[in-house]
Amino acid sequence: MAPARLPSKPPPMHDASKRLRAVLVLNELMEFQMRRHMHINETDFQAMQHLLQHRSLSPGELAKSLHLTSAATTTVIDRLVVAGHARRVPHATDRRRWLIEPTPESIRDAMSQLMPMVIEADDMVRAMPQDHQDAVVTYLDGVIDAIQRRIVEMDGESTDGASPATSGGAS
């Protein structure tokens, strides 16, 4: 599938699109601040995001979510355990398996950092008239759909044709 052609000079972005871009940039800064606060690197932070979302994952599920090998994921888990952010717990029904879960202290700490911002944004949207709330939801649903479509398209593009390693690029 060929990438979409962009116009030679794109039209000016809508104010809503400019603000969406600002949100994305600020999210990167927020993640940086959270990593600093937690004293962890980017990969470990991504692992913590998955653990906080799912509350527990097998090492294999975490590896798949992070797009890492089992060995690399074990290293991430070891660092998170040593840092006190995660723990290994036995599987409830399969004594051969382990699950990785965030520690209660790490959950509380992350929530104490994030919830004031989340509550403020939630209060803001709830204070809007219902038709404005509906417009915000409609816009964000469209943004989510556009991002998901682009992820699928990019995934297809990365599996089509030769990889850099097979086309003479550096490996």
Side-chain angles (χ1 to χ4, degrees):
M1 173 187 293
R5 284 209 129 157
L6 297 176
S8 58
K9 183 175 182 195
M13 285 179 36
H14 189 281
D15 285 345
S17 298
K18 290 177 187 176
R19 282 163 179 77
L20 174 63
R21 178 68 184 133
V23 167
L24 295 173
V25 169
L26 287 169
N27 183 65
E28 288 180 29
L29 182 56
M30 186 68 184
E31 286 185 2
F32 173 78
Q33 293 296 343
M34 287 295 296
R35 290 192 307 269
R36 257 187 47 196
H37 176 80
M38 297 172 76
H39 306 286
I40 59 177
N41 67 33
E42 187 170 349
T43 303
D44 295 359
F45 181 74
Q46 296 301 322
M48 283 304 298
Q49 285 186 305
H50 291 291
L51 293 173
L52 289 166
Q53 179 182 359
H54 299 287
R55 293 299 192 224
S56 72
L57 292 168
S58 71
E61 291 167 330
L62 187 56
K64 185 176 180 181
S65 295
L66 295 171
H67 310 285
L68 293 176
T69 64
S70 295
T73 302
T74 297
T75 301
V76 169
I77 294 167
D78 289 345
R79 285 193 305 256
L80 290 173
V81 168
V82 167
H85 291 298
R87 61 185 179 191
R88 292 175 171 93
V89 296
H91 191 279
T93 59
D94 184 348
R95 66 177 199 247
R96 297 169 297 168
R97 294 183 61 202
W98 290 87
L99 295 174
I100 312 306
E101 64 181 31
T103 61
E105 299 82 16
S106 194
I107 293 169
R108 275 193 303 276
D109 186 40
M111 292 303 105
S112 74
Q113 297 300 315
L114 296 173
M115 287 312 291
M117 173 187 64
V118 171
I119 290 168
E120 184 177 344
D122 191 66
D123 288 347
M124 205 178 325
V125 77
R126 287 178 187 278
M128 294 177 180
Q130 187 61 49
D131 61 328
H132 292 194
Q133 292 180 42
D134 295 343
V136 169
V137 170
T138 299
Y139 174 72
L140 292 174
D141 282 345
V143 169
I144 290 166
D145 289 345
I147 291 170
Q148 288 174 330
R149 275 192 307 277
R150 190 64 195 133
I151 289 168
V152 168
E153 290 168 3
M154 289 175 74
D155 188 46
E157 290 169 9
S158 69
T159 59
D160 291 344
S163 69
T166 61
S167 62
S171 53

